[in-house]
Amino acid sequence: MMTATLPPPPLRLDQKRIALAFLLAALVLVIFRPALPAGLIRLPEGLILPFADWINATFAFARDELGLMTVTRAFSDMVEACLDVTANLLYGKSRWPYVGPIPWAVIAATAGMAGYALGGARLALLAGGTFVWIAVMGQWKWAMETLSVIVVAVPFSVVFGLLMGTLAWRSRLAERILNPILNIAQSLPHFAYMIPVVVFIGVGPKAGAIVTIIFSVPPMIRMTLLGLRGVSPEIIESGKMSGTTRLQLMTRVRLPAARTEILIGVNQVIMQSLAMVVLASFIGMPGLGQKLLQLLQALKIGLSVEIGITIVLLAIVLDRMSKAWAVKQPEHATGPWLYRHRLLLIWLGLVALGFVLAWVHPYFSEVGRKQALSMAEPVDAAVGVLIEMISPVTDWLRWFLITWVLIPLRDAFLWLPTTAVLLALAGIGWRVGGLRSALVCLAFALPIALSGWWDRAMITVYTVFVSVALALILGVPLGLLGAVNEARSRRFLLVCDTFQTFPSFIYLIPVIMLFGVNDVAVIAAVVVFATVPIVRYTIEGLRGIPPEIVESAQMSGASPMQLLRHVKLPLAVPTLVVGANQSIMFSLFMVIIAAFIGTQDLGQEMQRALSSTDVGKGLVLGFAVAFMGLLADHLLLKWAHGRGVALRSS
Amino acid sequence: MQKLTGLLLGAATLALAAPVLAEDSSDPIIIPTHNWSSQIVMSNVVGQMFEGMGNSVEYVSTDSQAVYEAIRLGDATLELEVWEGAFGKSFNAALEKGGIEDVATHQAITREDWWYPMWTKEACPGLPDWQALNDCAAKFATPETGEKGRFLGGPVDWLKHDAEKVDALGMNFTVVNAGSAAALWAEIAAAEKDKTPIVVFNWTPNFAEAVWPGEFVNFPAWEAGCDTDPAKGPIPDKTFDCGNPANGYLKIAAWDGMKDKWPKAYAALQKVNFTNAQIAEMAKLVDVDGMEPEDAAAEWMQANEAVWKPWTE
Amino acid sequence: MTASEVVISCRNVWKVFGDYPDRLRLTPDTTMDELRATSHIAAVRNVSLDIRRGEMLVVMGLSGSGKSTLVRCLARLLDITSGTVEVEGRDIGKLTEPQLIELRRKKMGMVFQSFGLLPHRTALENVAFPLEMRGQDRASRIARAREVLELVGLKGREGYFPRELSGGQQQRVGIARSLAVEPDIWFLDEPFSALDPLIRREMQDEFLRLKGMLAKTIVFITHDFDEALRLADRIAIMKDGAVEQIDTPDRIVMAPATPYVAKFTESIDRARVIHAGALALPVDGRPVEGDPLPAGETLHALARRIVGDSRVLIPLSTQGRISGLLDRKAALDLLLGPAT
């Protein structure tokens, strides 16, 4: 289509031919499917490997023979001791040190002051305002339950990340081992982490904290490694020449000099923790997530929007504050002691004021449910009216999509012979990146076939395929609309951020209300989530085009449409592909969560594995999802990279 | 040394006197909550009752199958709704492993099975017989199930074996699992508008009986072992060729350390006993009246002081 | 302290980068091409040199000539591939890690091209850092750091972070830090090349002032020939990792050992480099008339007096004694170019 206007990327002829041969072979298998022996349509039973049993045996061995249970229990006790302290301070759980709860007015003042110190008045307003909102909306206890876990999980993650990042930095071998593990870990669906945690730790806040720690460590490892690598060699040499020992060099030179990267790592840990801590409600983590889960089960949209807003606000505040901290450079202080410590003094003053207010009137200590504001009723009413109004449309849409699009597509995906899919993937891999990519594709796809979950995986693939296709159809025009000028793109990107930080399972509520329990609802929920990266990357791809190119095209007399079709879109394609890639990742995560609507895919099995705490099955399913994501990631990024190089060199 | 002996003696006396003197531990009693309303409200009722007795209580939301493992390990303290049909298996497995005990049985009789609202009978007059249902399977067809009828099951973590039942009895139905109980009610409400025939998973005691009158489908009667032994039930070579128990128990389970750690609470728990009507009422407060579970529990307790007060004495 | 005591001594030092440098058999005749064939690169090739106490050796060469690598070998920031480096008679290649740390804490200081300051510490804390590393107590190290900062002219800026200082000021902090432990040996790796020309000049003057105040053995790396000539006692010129010539500035200019060095010195204003003493002829009984000129000054500095002088042979004096005679014609040739 649009690629026709560009010279084809340089490809070796034989690479093209081999790829074509593979694709033709796949086509032959598809055409002659009715005549194929069953063993080629689906792998024969004998070839299906009992991965789950192996994993379960390994886990059982580790737990019973190696005594891993004692270790994990000891670790979880340690985490629990920390959790007890924060839980007592933040929401007055009756544990040592028995001093809490701290009145909300004090915490809001502290947050505001921290915001001011890090990023000035606007951040102060945002941070303080967020906590005031939480308090007056009557969500204080839930939010503090959530925060009490984050406050504990983040430092643990940061310390583990620093240690493992340092290890990977010191030893090539450790890095080589860690790298693929991190790749897989970052594409495993959230639920895959939860099952082993339930087995080893149990349920409740400590399990929530531990799953959050595990989930948020990978970016910290990456950023630590990046930071340590990036320290200027002269700084290290100057440290050595100052006579540092190895340990001193690490703690006083390398790590402080890598401060910015490490703090960006901390930022990512915080954001990951927040995302996980909401989902961890599935394994008994109390707080905002659990409330949201209950509301989801009761399909109450109004209250869940209130909680969603709280989570988004918290995410924005934590994100802005930790980013401001990362960017902030030290400044020298001058003036008398009082002036230099003015922020500290103002903070102390505000804290004192908060305590006094709380003592004068209990409203400033805790807002009771009866006193709390709520906008749930009007929201519920509005949504009800809306659904009533558009239900003829949605009913038709549901019927149309199911009968004419979804069911035929799903059946087609299931109809495809496994062998043909494998061959086609190898062919595409070969076309994109030669033998190596072909092997990578097979290495990801073959285990899925061997695991025996092929049919379920194909349903997941079909859901993701439809969702991403719809997301492209919706997202690219939206992106074009958003990229018109600077101000509008900023607004669009802000909306994207909000949609992305909104806890994913809030989206399940309106889609169930609109479409009921079926694939349309699932796909609608996934599309909402999957459109966000498409819009974002379309805007970024278009705004990233060098102005000289646009100007030269305008001077050649191109009309705005021609400019878009022949110049802007082709140049934006590599960026757009990166967006599509992220869209696939988001879809995969969301499809798994959409099991709560009711699906027939890997997600439903994952939910079942979570209920029966079947670690082996859960991990096999998790790996299947991760491998699908990594496969798409490999192909798309490889292609986008080649394309980008070709564009730059031409 | 003397001091130590003294301490030991003191401790021994305390231990001996325990049955009479023991106070409940100040550690919180951990009550698990699940994904249906009556259980959440009942948990809050009993929790608030314990709090009234001076105990501290914490609620954790857990998976309804995994909870028995958690109770065995002491991570959760008790479970107020052990449904025979849904959780009998997990509960029995946990009993065998030890660490959990069967504390009491509610007066309420439970039944969980395929269920339809009354208007469905007009489209399929042979109901509640399961063969009649199977004959009009096409009436229950939806776009996604094609020719076959749709049976809307509960969330997969309830492990209802509906697909096995369909297979064993050779029924012309496809099982679609709703992700939550609320999704079930949403579907029934949607069907009510134009009186579409619908067959879903439902149970009693439940508020739904009050809102939508309906009946359970009559499958071949349950007999013990029908779920494990192919020989039991009408079809010789299949398991699950029967309905769920028609008058199942509803039990209370607890961690076996509870009676030592919180003896008073344990004594009260032994007396806890709800009826079908009470349980349906609790569910209704949340599902129909839209109250928060905490508030629903408080309201129920205010209205029914005569029921629960004696348990605490 | 004798002037001739050797402080740093290198013998046949090689530093080869590549996959397996230890497996190579290196001889003085090994060529770059041979190494390249095994995909190795020699950054330092068979370097032998001695640096005496109190001497200032300037190592110069174009970028990539191996001068920075050489100085890192001298400080054992890099382990050499073959040869020996001795500091005060001890082979530093054989020092254990604690011994090496001890050596750096007591004897060595180093200044870096892009300063190598710790971004998270104030100027004062940066200067105090080496003292902190060797375990000095807080009060005394702060006092010492203040003292050194004052010495480099940064009084009043103690609380500033590196980011808040100009390039010249940052390098002053770097210099102060390297001097804080009062090292005997001072390495400076292109300390002024990241600075603007004006600041560079100012810093060179500052450096000469410090050098005059402190008696130290100095190894100074630069790619700026003018800078080398201005500062050096001796100059080592490097090319492709090897030392082409090591000699006094006058000798480098007047008697280049290789065509490379000759080419290097071609465009230099020799009069600014060559000292009168370098042209001195022995007295050998010839008559010594009138006032002598100082032998230690460059011809450029003496130009006015040489041009105005009428003697054929002008006597030169070193430390108040007549050390030789300057052939006025030869001096004028150098100053004005050979007569046509």
Side-chain angles (χ1 to χ4, degrees):
Chain A
M1 328 164 278
M2 40 189 128
T3 49
T5 56
L6 286 162
L11 260 182
R12 292 211 315 277
L13 200 63
D14 53 340
Q15 188 175 330
K16 245 177 174 170
R17 281 212 180 127
I18 295 173
L20 203 61
F22 271 107
L23 290 174
L24 280 177
L27 192 66
V28 168
L29 283 175
V30 170
I31 291 171
F32 293 101
R33 185 187 187 277
L36 286 184
L40 287 179
I41 294 173
R42 288 288 181 270
L43 294 190
E45 279 298 314
L47 277 180
I48 305 298
L49 301 175
F51 291 121
D53 296 344
W54 297 344
I55 295 176
N56 277 333
T58 315
F59 266 79
F61 177 76
R63 187 183 53 199
D64 305 331
E65 309 294 321
L66 298 182
L68 201 60
M69 195 77 166
T70 345
V71 180
T72 54
R73 282 265 155 177
F75 176 67
S76 72
D77 287 347
M78 187 166 78
V79 171
E80 194 174 23
C82 302
L83 283 176
D84 284 347
V85 175
T86 56
N88 175 258
L89 293 178
L90 290 177
Y91 64 97
K93 193 172 176 179
S94 60
R95 298 290 151 85
W96 187 85
Y98 302 105
V99 293
I102 301 171
W104 68 263
V106 172
I107 290 179
T110 306
M113 215 45 219
Y116 183 78
L118 289 169
R122 286 183 61 159
L123 195 52
L125 205 63
L126 182 67
T130 295
F131 282 87
V132 173
W133 152 275
I134 295 173
V136 300
M137 297 307 283
Q139 303 176 3
W140 191 254
K141 179 154 183 257
W142 307 327
M144 289 306 115
E145 282 173 339
T146 298
L147 271 187
S148 73
V149 169
I150 291 184
V151 168
V152 171
V154 168
F156 270 102
S157 288
V158 168
V159 170
F160 282 137
L162 279 175
L163 288 177
M164 284 162 82
T166 311
L167 186 72
W169 167 80
R170 281 191 71 98
S171 136
R172 275 245 152 237
L173 180 71
E175 194 202 339
R176 283 211 196 111
I177 297 173
L178 267 178
N179 213 12
I181 296 180
L182 291 183
N183 279 337
I184 294 178
Q186 289 187 309
S187 22
L188 271 181
H190 305 73
F191 292 105
Y193 286 89
M194 295 182 187
I195 304 170
V197 170
V198 172
V199 170
F200 281 100
I201 312 290
V203 294
K206 67 183 170 187
I210 285 168
V211 81
T212 304
I213 293 171
I214 298 173
F215 184 74
S216 59
V217 163
M220 190 68 209
I221 300 178
R222 288 245 154 97
M223 290 313 291
T224 306
L225 186 58
L226 193 70
L228 287 176
R229 287 256 168 81
V231 176
S232 121
E234 286 207 339
I235 289 186
I236 293 158
E237 286 174 341
S238 78
K240 282 187 183 163
M241 289 309 288
S242 301
T244 51
T245 61
R246 275 160 200 256
L247 185 67
Q248 285 173 325
L249 191 64
M250 193 70 208
T251 54
R252 307 208 199 172
V253 179
R254 290 187 198 273
L255 289 177
R259 175 185 179 276
T260 304
E261 284 82 3
I262 289 176
L263 287 181
I264 290 176
V266 172
N267 168 270
Q268 293 186 1
V269 165
I270 292 175
M271 300 317 287
Q272 294 273 48
S273 300
L274 194 63
M276 191 65 183
V277 98
V278 173
L279 282 175
S281 53
F282 288 109
I283 54 170
M285 169 67 221
L288 294 170
Q290 189 186 86
K291 201 68 215 163
L292 205 53
L293 188 61
Q294 285 174 4
L295 292 171
L296 165 69
Q297 277 149 4
L299 291 183
K300 287 183 186 160
I301 184 83
L303 273 174
S304 57
V305 166
E306 279 176 19
I307 292 197
I309 291 174
T310 301
I311 293 176
V312 171
L313 281 173
L314 272 179
I316 294 176
V317 166
L318 290 175
D319 183 49
R320 294 275 158 85
M321 294 231 279
S322 52
K323 271 204 190 121
W325 186 30
V327 181
K328 196 173 172 65
Q329 297 291 339
E331 262 171 56
H332 70 279
T334 46
W337 191 91
L338 275 179
Y339 181 74
R340 274 183 286 134
H341 296 85
R342 63 192 183 285
L343 293 183
L344 183 73
L345 293 173
I346 297 173
W347 175 67
L348 286 174
L350 285 175
V351 166
L353 183 69
F355 274 110
V356 169
L357 280 176
W359 177 69
V360 171
H361 196 291
Y363 183 82
F364 293 99
S365 169
E366 202 182 341
V367 179
R369 197 184 304 283
K370 297 269 162 358
Q371 299 157 295
L373 306 177
S374 175
M375 51 185 223
E377 271 173 38
V379 171
D380 278 333
V383 171
V385 170
L386 190 74
I387 287 179
E388 196 64 35
M389 248 162 50
I390 61 173
S391 75
V393 182
T394 53
D395 284 351
W396 177 83
L397 195 65
R398 171 184 164 184
W399 168 82
F400 173 78
L401 282 175
I402 287 183
T403 326
W404 295 106
V405 183
L406 299 180
I407 301 284
L409 259 176
R410 189 183 67 187
D411 291 346
F413 269 92
L414 287 172
W415 179 85
L416 288 175
T418 308
T419 43
V421 176
L422 292 176
L423 275 177
L425 282 173
I428 296 169
W430 208 303
R431 179 73 166 76
V432 170
L435 173 63
R436 208 178 151 267
S437 285
L439 287 177
V440 168
C441 287
L442 281 184
F444 283 133
L446 202 57
I448 301 177
L450 291 175
S451 70
W453 293 112
W454 184 263
D455 283 349
R456 296 249 170 199
M458 286 319 275
I459 296 180
T460 302
V461 170
Y462 132 83
T463 318
V464 170
F465 175 83
V466 174
S467 308
V468 173
L470 285 174
L472 278 168
I473 293 171
L474 290 173
V476 172
L478 275 176
L480 291 177
L481 203 64
V484 168
N485 60 47
E486 188 65 35
R488 200 192 281 177
S489 21
R490 260 210 311 278
R491 275 203 304 278
F492 269 63
L493 290 177
L494 184 71
V495 174
C496 284
D497 279 340
T498 315
F499 268 84
Q500 207 173 324
T501 29
F502 232 58
S504 40
F505 53 83
I506 283 194
Y507 298 119
L508 303 185
I509 303 174
V511 299
I512 294 180
M513 295 168 91
L514 278 174
F515 298 109
V517 180
N518 56 57
D519 284 8
V520 178
V522 172
I523 282 168
V526 179
V527 165
V528 176
F529 223 53
T531 310
V532 171
I534 304 263
V535 175
R536 178 194 305 277
Y537 280 86
T538 308
I539 292 177
E540 277 174 10
L542 289 176
R543 308 235 28 115
I545 295 172
E548 311 90 71
I549 294 187
V550 177
E551 282 159 12
S552 72
Q554 281 168 334
M555 290 310 288
S556 315
S559 70
M561 265 323 278
Q562 287 174 318
L563 190 66
L564 190 65
R565 256 196 69 203
H566 296 290
V567 180
K568 286 184 169 177
L569 275 182
L571 281 171
V573 160
T575 320
L576 195 55
V577 170
V578 176
N581 182 41
Q582 216 179 67
S583 173
I584 292 178
M585 286 295 177
F586 280 25
S587 305
L588 276 172
F589 278 151
M590 192 65 191
V591 167
I592 301 304
I593 289 169
F596 286 84
I597 298 177
T599 53
Q600 317 261 313
D601 69 340
L602 292 172
Q604 190 193 34
E605 284 299 325
M606 185 99 77
Q607 205 186 357
R608 205 169 271 164
L610 182 60
S611 306
S612 49
T613 53
D614 186 339
V615 182
K617 184 172 159 189
L619 282 182
V620 169
L621 295 164
F623 278 119
V625 175
F627 284 180
M628 289 192 272
L630 289 169
L631 186 127
D633 180 78
H634 177 84
L635 286 177
L636 288 177
L637 289 191
K638 192 106 194 165
W639 186 82
H641 182 72
R643 188 84 197 171
V645 170
L647 281 177
R648 264 191 303 275
S649 61
S650 62
Chain B
M1 192 64 211
Q2 247 174 1
K3 229 180 192 174
L4 186 70
T5 330
L7 269 177
L8 279 174
L9 273 175
T13 355
L14 266 180
L16 281 175
V20 200
L21 287 175
E23 280 298 314
D24 281 2
S25 160
S26 64
D27 289 351
I29 296 171
I30 295 166
I31 304 182
T33 58
H34 308 310
N35 50 1
W36 67 97
S37 332
S38 71
Q39 195 271 350
I40 305 178
V41 179
M42 193 193 291
S43 296
N44 275 283
V45 167
V46 173
Q48 288 175 21
M49 184 181 93
F50 285 160
E51 277 172 340
M53 295 163 63
N55 284 297
S56 81
V57 174
E58 277 167 22
Y59 305 94
V60 292
S61 147
T62 62
D63 182 90
S64 54
Q65 298 286 350
V67 70
Y68 300 100
E69 192 63 15
I71 294 177
R72 239 170 43 73
L73 297 171
D75 288 337
T77 314
L78 53 93
E79 167 61 55
L80 288 162
E81 289 193 11
V82 186
W83 294 60
E84 178 172 7
F87 312 116
K89 218 169 166 181
S90 299
F91 177 51
N92 285 331
L95 274 180
E96 265 170 45
K97 287 196 214 168
I100 189 170
E101 63 178 305
D102 178 353
V103 177
T105 305
H106 291 287
Q107 216 176 324
I109 286 170
T110 63
R111 180 167 184 194
E112 316 154 64
D113 222 321
W114 294 31
W115 177 96
Y116 54 90
M118 269 318 178
W119 64 80
T120 305
K121 225 170 173 174
E122 288 163 27
C124 189
L127 285 170
D129 180 57
W130 71 271
Q131 277 154 329
L133 174 71
N134 199 24
D135 292 339
C136 40
K139 300 248 169 70
F140 298 90
T142 58
E144 60 263 40
T145 55
E147 314 255 291
K148 295 183 170 187
R150 178 184 71 158
F151 168 70
L152 189 65
V156 285
D157 65 327
W158 295 353
L159 300 178
K160 296 316 305 180
H161 307 288
D162 294 309
E164 289 90 333
K165 189 188 284 178
V166 166
D167 175 59
L169 298 173
M171 294 178 76
N172 207 11
F173 271 83
T174 301
V175 177
V176 174
N177 288 102
S180 63
L184 289 175
W185 316 141
E187 285 285 322
I188 300 175
E192 187 186 19
K193 270 185 280 179
D194 36 14
K195 307 285 183 214
T196 320
I198 186 171
V199 58
V200 302
F201 179 78
N202 199 353
W203 59 91
T204 176
N206 188 350
F207 79 95
E209 324 166 65
V211 183
W212 303 289
E215 288 172 346
F216 285 100
V217 175
N218 278 339
F219 284 105
W222 161 266
E223 51 184 307
C226 168
D227 53 344
T228 46
D229 184 359
K232 301 275 170 71
I235 316 284
D237 58 344
K238 297 276 189 187
T239 52
F240 294 106
D241 48 345
C242 58
N244 287 330
N247 45 1
Y249 62 66
L250 185 68
K251 281 181 181 295
I252 297 174
W255 173 48
D256 69 0
M258 184 184 177
K259 56 177 164 298
D260 303 321
K261 200 168 177 186
W262 299 280
K264 288 184 173 167
Y266 181 81
L269 185 68
Q270 281 178 310
K271 295 181 209 152
V272 170
N273 184 354
F274 291 104
T275 63
N276 284 38
Q278 288 163 345
I279 294 171
E281 166 74 11
M282 288 181 204
K284 184 186 139 287
L285 287 175
V286 171
D287 290 326
V288 180
D289 303 346
M291 297 175 81
E292 288 296 299
E294 297 89 327
D295 306 333
E299 172 135 342
W300 188 89
M301 290 177 81
Q302 216 171 12
N304 297 281
E305 203 152 303
V307 177
W308 61 271
K309 249 296 153 29
W311 299 340
T312 62
E313 283 148 12
Chain C
M1 192 206 279
T2 58
S4 61
E5 185 198 347
V6 173
V7 180
I8 302 177
S9 165
C10 306
R11 286 291 165 267
N12 308 101
V13 171
W14 285 82
K15 177 66 198 177
V16 180
F17 292 104
D19 295 338
Y20 308 103
D22 299 339
R23 294 193 196 158
L24 299 170
R25 300 242 315 276
L26 299 166
T27 68
D29 302 324
T30 312
T31 63
M32 285 297 249
D33 291 333
E34 284 170 39
L35 287 171
R36 218 167 273 138
T38 56
S39 69
H40 286 84
I41 289 174
V44 174
R45 247 183 332 140
N46 197 35
V47 169
S48 299
L49 50 80
D50 291 323
I51 303 161
R52 280 180 266 282
R53 188 169 298 284
E55 180 184 34
M56 169 154 178
L57 175 73
V58 173
V59 181
M60 70 152 306
L62 300 177
S63 47
S65 61
K67 52 192 191 309
S68 286
T69 312
L70 177 64
V71 79
R72 280 166 174 71
C73 292
L74 299 183
R76 211 186 145 191
L77 284 170
L78 292 172
D79 282 316
I80 55 178
T81 314
S82 128
T84 54
V85 175
E86 288 183 5
V87 173
E88 298 189 331
R90 291 202 296 174
D91 182 348
I92 62 164
K94 295 208 170 74
L95 295 183
T96 60
E97 191 164 311
Q99 287 171 324
L100 182 66
I101 288 172
E102 194 59 23
L103 180 75
R104 287 178 180 156
R105 284 180 180 176
K106 296 255 166 76
K107 295 270 180 199
M108 291 179 172
M110 187 156 171
V111 181
F112 296 88
Q113 181 175 2
S114 29
F115 327 131
L117 299 180
L118 303 176
H120 58 291
R121 288 172 168 247
T122 62
L124 190 72
E125 288 164 346
N126 260 293
V127 175
F129 186 68
L131 305 168
E132 186 183 330
M133 289 305 101
R134 66 182 191 189
Q136 205 161 318
D137 68 278
R138 191 177 157 75
S140 81
R141 70 180 189 240
I142 294 293
R144 169 67 187 160
R146 279 186 192 286
E147 191 182 314
V148 196
L149 271 179
E150 190 172 346
L151 184 72
V152 298
L154 280 182
K155 194 172 163 62
R157 302 280 161 127
E158 289 89 349
Y160 283 55
F161 286 91
R163 193 177 54 87
E164 301 174 300
L165 296 169
S166 71
Q169 288 170 329
Q170 290 192 39
Q171 194 55 296
R172 282 169 199 262
V173 177
I175 288 172
R177 176 179 60 187
S178 69
L179 292 175
V181 293
E182 299 183 65
D184 294 334
I185 304 169
W186 200 13
F187 297 110
L188 298 103
D189 180 15
E190 305 207 30
F192 309 136
S193 54
L195 306 177
D196 295 338
L198 273 178
I199 313 270
R200 189 182 309 166
R201 188 82 195 170
E202 186 192 316
M203 290 296 289
Q204 284 167 356
D205 291 336
E206 177 79 24
F207 173 73
L208 283 174
R209 182 178 70 87
L210 287 170
K211 182 181 168 237
M213 290 165 59
L214 316 156
K216 296 201 187 303
T217 308
I218 300 171
V219 180
F220 190 106
I221 311 284
T222 181
H223 63 255
D224 178 350
F225 203 14
D226 283 328
E227 189 170 77
L229 295 171
R230 207 166 120 80
L231 305 173
D233 289 332
R234 282 196 301 157
I235 296 178
I237 294 189
M238 290 186 74
K239 181 195 174 215
D240 293 342
V243 171
E244 294 272 308
Q245 185 174 7
I246 173 163
D247 222 325
T248 59
D250 308 76
R251 301 271 312 151
I252 297 262
V253 174
M254 293 196 329
T258 66
Y260 179 77
V261 177
K263 200 150 174 269
F264 221 94
T265 58
E266 232 171 36
S267 60
I268 290 298
D269 181 358
R270 295 156 168 243
R272 285 180 186 274
V273 179
I274 298 173
H275 297 90
L279 295 178
L281 306 167
V283 179
D284 280 348
R286 273 174 280 203
V288 175
E289 302 165 22
D291 293 335
L293 295 177
E297 292 288 338
T298 60
L299 291 181
H300 180 83
L302 298 172
R304 194 173 289 275
R305 291 159 71 178
I306 293 172
V307 172
D309 211 307
S310 58
R311 291 169 288 189
V312 178
L313 293 171
I314 307 167
L316 296 170
S317 66
T318 310
Q319 290 168 343
R321 288 174 38 214
I322 301 298
S323 57
L325 299 169
L326 176 68
D327 182 339
R328 176 164 173 265
K329 186 171 174 300
L332 286 176
D333 281 352
L334 266 167
L335 274 169
L336 309 169
T340 42

